[in-house]
Amino acid sequence: MGKYLLRRVGYMLLVLVLLSFLMYLIYSMIPFDRARALAEEQRAAYKNDPAGFEAAYQNYRHQLGLDRSVVFRYLRWIGLVPVDGVYDGLLQGSLGWSFRYSRPAAEVLAQPLRNTVFLNLFSTVLSLGITIPLGIFCAVHRGSRRDTAVQIGTVVGYSVPGFIAAILFICLFAVILPVFPVSGMKTPGSSYTGLRKFFDELYYMALPILVMTFSSLGGMTRYVRAAMTEALTMDCVRTARAKGLRERAVIYSHAWRNALIPVITLVIGWFLRLFSGSLMIENIFALNGMGKLYITCLNANDYEVVLLLQMFYVTLALLGNLLIDIAYGLADPRVRADRPERR
Amino acid sequence: MESLSPGRLALRRFFRRPAACIALVLLSGIFLFVFLGPLFDPIDLSYAEPLHKNLSPSYDMLQIPDALSRNIRQISSRSSFSVGLDGDGRVYTWGKTYLRDIGTDLSDLPEEVRGRRILHAAAGVDHAAAIDENGYVLCWGAYDNGQYGHNGSMLAAARPQPEELLERPLDPSGVRQLVCGNQVTAILMNDGTTYLWGNYSIGAVNLPSFEGTKDLAKIVFLQSLIAGITTDGEFVYGSSGVFEICEIRASDGTVFLGNLREYIGDRKVLDIAASMTDVCLLLDDGSLVIAGASGEDTRRTPVIPDGETVVVLSGGARHYAALTDTGRILTWGSNALDQTDIPAGLTEPGAADEVICAGFQTYAVRSGTLAGKWGFRGYLMGSDELGRDIFTRVMNGGRMTMTIGAAAVLISAVIGILIGCISGYSGGKTDFFLMRMTEIFAAIPFLPFALVLSALLRRTDVKEDVRIFLIMVVLGVLSWPGLARLIRGQVLAEREKEFVLAAQAMGVPEHRIAFRHILPNVISVILVSLTLDFAGCMLTEATLSYLGFGVQLPRPTWGNMLYGCNNSIVIRSYWWRWVFPALFLSVSILAINILGDTLRDIFDPKSEVEK
């Protein structure tokens, strides 16, 4: 297992470098001259001095590395090539500077990251709490009328796009029944602390959380149902039944344990995918999260923040894959054996 | 039991499922709608109708009340509602009388208008006015900008209604004309005096200079101008630069920029009619001339049949109609909302003795009764914030969304099948390399990546068509890994079977075995996966467009039509703007998903046994 894990981590790092370079490359292809923009800000100082302006512009170009190749800039950004003799990149913990907010990118990121994690954590917990019992129920009562009803519901559920679900939820819970606020992060003018603050935030995030939960219900329920159906046909379940175990014990301790393996992998992958799913939800509800920040900065050419966010998404995706691999490895001894492909 | 071929068996199993059949019918319907519809109703991307912003779905704009249609005296309209007056002095309203943005209902007639005998009635953009038999001026509708009375905030009011009109009545028999414009109103008396009031800063910028013009015979309002003719046949418009250099379209077909007064010269103007953007004049040499702001080519003057002369003109919002001395109806101008589609029975001489253009509708009247009506009936799915028909946009937007989805799926299918087949069949180093590549692609965080790519496309200077094509490529290139893995797995399983061994023994080339022998055996899996991917790609396109990173407005897709619909005002008040695109998108995706699921079930023999 150790060797297998080591190989996966090594491989993941390789892919991380590849992907981050690819994203860096694509982003640097967007025609926007940051050096020109910075120089323009100083335009007043060089009113009658075009040569001085040009010099300032060239100076900015040099500072930003725009006079060098994209590979050089990438390596510098990573922290493998020194800037004026100092290594100052991601590897050294320097996450960059936000030109839009005139603050370090790490500071800009802090609050949105918190909000996004809050949002995703809550909707994950909520939807797991609904889908797992529902999926098990459907698998156990497979083919019954209630199962069919849930099946139809889940197809409808995962066919409705997230942003349409958002509009429907706003319509239902903010317009027809004014229960939840549509936007905002906290009660205006309030300065709650502790638990009060938490519940206030939860109240303001209620609609996004509900929408995200709703969007994931369909797919998750179907997946849990499929995994459980598969597990119920296993020999061990037949054996358990033959032993005369109570049906509850058969379902929850024999079948469910076996169904858990694919479900756990799914949950990990799905949780990480939520982060890009919340990108859209955050934009609909104007929620100050990573996704909102990503689009804002993408539109504002705030490139160091965009690059950092891209890195975050790529790392998250790869980490997710690694976790899935590990989970598979833990669950399924055959994977651990690391056997070569059958030929 | 009869024996069936696998294909017929699959078909039979398919049609045994009601959900699948409904989904198939729905999807085929939507397909026909979005792919055939635009052929009959192509979209004009630059089109917008400011007078029809945010109209709710309806089809009753031409529904003139029965009682009125038997005894028509006056009909007028400027935007979405019409006001009619019958010979007995009763006022009728129809069309979109409820103005959502203001919150007034024009069908809510004041007590006086309902109770008294009315002699003149006219509709403005957001108000209406009437004069009763005692000479009292009665108005209703919006009043906040000084349309009438002295109430309301009057913030924008340029000139309030004259005090004398509020205090004492006019001489009812002396009123020649009552006409309403965009928040402005004019009353012309037989002796040539006028009463002009309202928010002329938007409704008639030349109103102060127009006031005091002597011997007026007729007054018309354009979108933001007032004009008229005198009893001597002179065209008057106060002082305004608009008609000094304007686009003039003469009867002989010539179009040029010039001074309208100079063009008229010594000729007398017999009649005048106005649309929103221009005026049409009938000159005493029998010719017609249209003059105003330059615009579409549809506003050319009509061909007057030989031996006939135009007697009277009438102007709507974007079109005109005229009556010749033989009673023939001529109509011209914009036909964007069917304003100039005369019914077949009304094109001959003697069809009518009066023709009334009211807003976007036209009514032909013969001895007081309605002889025919044509024009704009309403928007089946309402109109959006720019006054565009949502029905047309849903249809054309659907074509775009489905085309992008289909193209993206095709691209991902080609890549996925190639890589899956090669990887699964060759194995070894090729397989290792291809699978690592697939893994890298699978690890790409989809939405952030697609956003960066489309941001790149948006900033680079490429044509819209190229951009849309590139969006298809981006979607296709990012979504093949799943398919490739699936096919590889299937091919690995098929490869071990005897028929492959047989083919190898017969010396069939390797690539031929992979693509001609193995691929057909996994085609059902591919088909299912492609169906589900199609829904996925449509969804991604809609998401990107919704976020403003896909297809750009004004070109519609189901996604970007929902752009800006996530605020509670739109959700509550303009529900048709989001319900229809959302419904079409959701139903299409739902139908495709159901079809995909059904296909998977019928191709998988195990699923039938399971039950």
Side-chain angles (χ1 to χ4, degrees):
Chain A
M1 183 72 189
K3 199 178 150 203
Y4 169 73
L5 210 64
L6 214 64
R7 272 180 62 163
R8 291 306 298 179
V9 171
Y11 174 66
M12 186 200 122
L13 285 177
L14 183 75
V15 176
L16 180 67
V17 170
L18 258 171
L19 274 188
S20 63
F21 178 66
L22 194 63
M23 290 199 93
Y24 192 94
L25 190 69
I26 293 174
Y27 190 69
S28 65
M29 270 155 61
I30 293 180
F32 177 74
D33 194 347
R34 169 61 61 190
R36 170 78 59 193
L38 285 171
E40 287 297 336
E41 284 173 19
Q42 311 287 321
R43 180 63 108 176
Y46 302 103
K47 213 165 192 175
N48 301 314
D49 185 12
F53 178 78
E54 187 58 30
Y57 171 58
Q58 291 303 338
N59 187 29
Y60 277 123
R61 276 182 67 83
H62 178 71
Q63 267 183 32
L64 295 167
L66 289 172
D67 49 353
R68 304 290 292 270
S69 73
V70 63
V71 179
F72 171 82
R73 265 178 290 151
Y74 173 72
L75 291 176
R76 209 177 72 157
W77 176 64
I78 292 291
L80 292 175
V81 163
V83 189
D84 302 329
V86 188
Y87 289 93
D88 188 31
L90 291 182
L91 289 177
Q92 285 77 30
S94 160
L95 299 183
W97 177 263
S98 163
F99 290 98
R100 181 185 148 83
Y101 298 96
S102 306
R103 276 193 297 156
E107 267 181 45
V108 172
L109 229 66
Q111 183 63 28
L113 181 64
R114 203 181 141 269
N115 288 336
T116 300
V117 170
F118 190 90
L119 174 66
N120 283 294
L121 218 55
F122 254 92
S123 57
T124 310
V125 170
L126 208 58
S127 51
L128 283 182
I130 299 172
T131 51
I132 290 181
L134 197 63
I136 295 178
F137 175 86
C138 287
V140 173
H141 300 271
R142 197 166 64 254
S144 75
R145 208 169 265 178
R146 279 173 294 183
D147 174 41
T148 316
V150 173
Q151 287 304 301
I152 293 171
T154 55
V155 178
V156 174
Y158 83 68
S159 297
V160 174
F163 53 93
I164 291 179
I167 294 177
L168 283 175
F169 270 71
I170 295 177
C171 183
L172 280 178
F173 294 113
V175 174
I176 296 176
L177 293 169
V179 194
F180 295 119
V182 177
S183 58
M185 296 299 299
K186 59 171 197 153
T187 308
S190 70
S191 52
Y192 299 132
T193 47
L195 212 56
R196 189 85 191 275
K197 179 165 182 262
F198 173 78
F199 279 115
D200 191 53
E201 279 182 4
L202 195 59
Y203 172 64
Y204 275 88
M205 272 199 203
L207 267 185
I209 291 175
L210 280 179
V211 173
M212 283 192 71
T213 311
F214 174 82
S215 304
S216 54
L217 283 184
M220 279 290 279
T221 309
R222 287 167 74 84
Y223 198 89
V224 173
R225 179 182 179 273
M228 194 65 188
T229 309
E230 186 82 33
L232 279 172
T233 58
M234 284 181 169
D235 292 342
C236 67
V237 172
R238 198 182 305 148
T239 314
R241 284 208 176 109
K243 278 199 302 191
L245 282 183
R246 277 176 305 129
E247 189 61 20
R248 283 179 66 90
V250 174
I251 291 168
Y252 291 105
S253 74
H254 290 246
W256 174 236
R257 285 233 179 126
N258 279 302
L260 207 56
I261 301 161
V263 170
I264 286 176
T265 26
L266 172 82
V267 167
I268 296 168
W270 171 77
F271 179 68
L272 296 170
R273 222 175 314 129
L274 270 186
F275 277 87
S276 50
S278 77
L279 195 151
M280 190 178 57
I281 300 292
E282 285 164 15
N283 275 284
I284 294 172
F285 289 97
L287 205 145
N288 180 23
M290 305 282 278
K292 181 89 173 51
L293 187 70
Y294 185 66
I295 289 193
T296 312
C297 292
L298 207 51
N299 282 329
N301 293 308
D302 197 355
Y303 80 110
E304 296 207 348
V305 180
V306 173
L307 289 174
L308 196 61
L309 283 168
Q310 284 181 351
M311 204 64 179
F312 169 80
Y313 282 119
V314 172
T315 315
L316 211 61
L318 288 172
L319 217 57
N321 285 352
L322 184 70
L323 279 177
I324 291 172
D325 282 343
I326 295 174
Y328 261 134
L330 288 177
D332 191 343
R334 284 165 297 181
V335 180
R336 245 177 291 159
D338 195 22
R339 72 211 157 96
E341 286 298 339
R342 191 163 57 110
R343 169 77 243 207
Chain B
M1 195 180 157
E2 58 177 323
S3 61
L4 285 170
S5 70
R8 295 214 17 215
L9 193 66
L11 263 184
R12 177 174 282 195
R13 286 161 101 185
F14 182 90
F15 285 109
R16 221 182 283 146
R17 290 157 195 262
C21 294
I22 295 171
L24 187 65
V25 170
L26 272 178
L27 195 64
S28 322
I30 292 175
F31 257 119
L32 290 178
F33 176 64
V34 303
F35 284 104
L36 293 184
L39 301 180
F40 298 105
D41 189 8
I43 191 164
D44 173 7
L45 291 177
S46 60
Y47 176 80
E49 179 50 77
L51 292 170
H52 283 166
K53 285 178 188 166
N54 292 325
L55 292 187
S56 58
S58 73
Y59 218 57
D60 58 357
M61 308 281 259
L62 203 50
Q63 289 291 337
I64 173 170
D66 278 346
L68 175 62
S69 67
R70 287 190 291 272
N71 192 3
I72 297 172
R73 183 168 163 155
Q74 289 175 357
I75 296 176
S76 83
S77 168
R78 279 186 86 83
S79 59
S80 57
F81 65 92
S82 305
V83 170
L85 177 67
D86 74 4
D88 301 328
R90 274 193 299 271
V91 172
Y92 302 81
T93 55
W94 64 97
K96 282 265 147 295
T97 53
Y98 180 64
L99 307 178
R100 246 159 231 277
D101 296 341
I102 309 163
T104 354
D105 193 345
L106 268 298
S107 67
D108 198 10
L109 299 177
E111 224 26 70
E112 297 88 357
V113 176
R114 210 172 295 164
R116 298 183 199 163
R117 189 183 158 86
I118 304 295
L119 297 183
H120 296 271
V125 168
D126 56 7
H127 77 297
I131 299 173
D132 72 5
E133 57 180 342
N134 299 320
Y136 285 100
V137 179
L138 310 162
C139 303
W140 68 100
Y143 55 82
D144 210 46
N145 293 342
Q147 287 94 331
Y148 59 90
H150 293 169
N151 300 323
S153 68
M154 310 287 275
L155 284 178
R159 173 184 303 227
Q161 189 174 359
E163 292 278 348
E164 51 190 291
L165 289 183
L166 295 174
E167 284 161 7
R168 60 188 165 75
L170 297 163
D171 166 22
S173 59
V175 178
R176 180 195 285 261
Q177 197 193 358
L178 166 69
V179 51
C180 291
N182 187 6
Q183 304 193 334
V184 287
T185 313
I187 295 174
L188 174 62
M189 306 298 284
N190 280 332
D191 60 7
T193 55
T194 53
Y195 298 93
L196 309 170
W197 74 88
N199 185 13
Y200 71 78
S201 59
I202 70 159
V205 286
N206 59 345
L207 188 132
S209 60
F210 183 83
E211 183 157 51
T213 312
K214 297 228 169 359
D215 302 324
L216 278 167
K218 190 174 180 184
I219 294 176
V220 289
F221 280 115
L222 284 76
Q223 173 82 26
S224 57
L225 284 176
I226 184 168
I229 50 173
T230 65
T231 44
D232 299 335
E234 192 195 348
F235 173 58
V236 285
Y237 51 88
S239 69
S240 160
V242 173
F243 295 110
E244 257 127 65
I245 294 185
C246 61
E247 196 175 88
I248 298 174
R249 293 164 183 273
S251 267
D252 53 14
T254 52
V255 180
F256 58 95
L257 282 176
N259 186 323
L260 181 57
R261 243 190 212 143
E262 278 172 18
Y263 172 76
I264 297 169
D266 291 338
R267 291 177 285 185
K268 282 188 173 16
V269 182
L270 300 182
D271 198 3
I272 182 171
S275 73
M276 287 295 147
T277 49
D278 41 34
V279 291
C280 183
L281 304 178
L282 170 62
L283 304 178
D284 61 356
D285 61 359
S287 68
L288 293 167
V289 56
I290 294 180
S294 58
E296 314 132 46
D297 211 36
T298 52
R299 292 182 314 185
R300 53 181 77 249
T301 50
V303 179
I304 302 166
D306 280 341
E308 295 181 26
T309 51
V310 173
V311 189
V312 62
L313 292 176
S314 179
R318 309 276 176 216
H319 75 298
Y320 295 97
L323 207 60
T324 66
D325 51 353
T326 61
R328 186 198 292 274
I329 300 168
L330 302 173
T331 175
W332 66 98
S334 160
N335 195 25
L337 299 169
D338 307 331
Q339 293 105 312
T340 58
D341 286 348
I342 309 184
L346 292 171
T347 48
E348 294 309 305
D353 49 30
E354 195 184 354
V355 58
I356 305 169
C357 285
F360 296 85
Q361 292 82 28
T362 320
Y363 305 90
V365 182
R366 196 162 41 208
S367 54
T369 54
L370 187 72
K373 56 183 181 178
W374 64 96
F376 174 57
R377 290 172 182 276
Y379 297 110
L380 265 185
M381 295 185 184
S383 65
D384 66 4
E385 72 278 15
L386 295 176
R388 299 173 294 198
D389 186 3
I390 290 183
F391 183 82
T392 313
R393 288 178 69 74
V394 162
M395 201 158 65
N396 288 276
R399 186 170 66 162
M400 182 58 76
T401 299
M402 290 208 160
T403 311
I404 291 180
V409 164
L410 276 183
I411 293 171
S412 96
V414 170
I415 305 176
I417 290 173
L418 267 179
I419 291 189
C421 270
I422 294 174
S423 181
Y425 190 75
S426 0
K429 277 194 182 136
T430 324
D431 179 39
F432 181 81
F433 173 73
L434 286 177
M435 277 303 107
R436 294 296 86 80
M437 196 174 91
T438 312
E439 264 173 45
I440 293 176
F441 268 90
I444 291 176
F446 188 89
L447 209 50
F449 211 77
L451 284 177
V452 169
L453 280 173
S454 62
L456 173 64
L457 289 180
R458 198 170 52 171
R459 306 282 174 74
T460 6
D461 186 29
V462 288
K463 273 214 231 120
E464 184 68 13
D465 293 335
V466 180
R467 249 174 50 79
I468 291 171
F469 173 72
L470 287 175
I471 289 174
M472 298 172 186
V473 173
V474 167
L475 292 186
V477 165
L478 288 182
S479 56
W480 61 265
L483 185 67
R485 283 178 177 170
L486 184 76
I487 293 172
R488 174 177 171 271
Q490 294 286 322
V491 170
L492 274 178
E494 293 292 323
R495 204 181 57 183
E496 305 299 323
K497 293 196 175 155
E498 280 78 6
F499 70 90
V500 178
L501 198 63
Q504 279 167 343
M506 280 158 67
V508 180
E510 293 283 301
H511 63 91
R512 206 177 149 80
I513 296 179
F515 288 99
R516 296 294 294 273
H517 291 246
I518 293 181
L519 190 61
N521 280 291
V522 301
I523 207 82
S524 65
V525 181
I526 295 175
L527 203 64
V528 170
S529 169
L530 287 188
T531 316
L532 296 174
D533 282 354
F534 179 44
C537 283
M538 269 175 67
L539 194 58
T540 316
E541 185 283 323
T543 309
L544 280 183
S545 297
Y546 176 78
L547 289 174
F549 284 82
V551 179
Q552 302 290 308
L553 291 167
R555 200 181 283 255
T557 76
W558 285 342
N560 70 17
M561 284 181 73
L562 292 165
Y563 182 80
C565 287
N566 58 338
N567 68 69
S568 36
I569 298 164
V570 175
I571 290 176
R572 186 207 314 262
S573 307
Y574 311 125
W575 54 268
W576 56 92
R577 270 170 56 187
W578 60 271
V579 162
F580 293 110
L583 197 70
F584 272 86
L585 181 59
S586 307
V587 168
S588 311
I589 293 179
L590 180 62
I592 296 170
N593 279 337
I594 291 178
L595 282 182
D597 281 355
T598 313
L599 286 181
R600 172 163 49 205
D601 284 356
I602 62 176
F603 286 141
D604 180 9
K606 261 200 299 186
S607 67
E608 200 83 337
V609 183
E610 196 189 300
K611 282 193 176 163

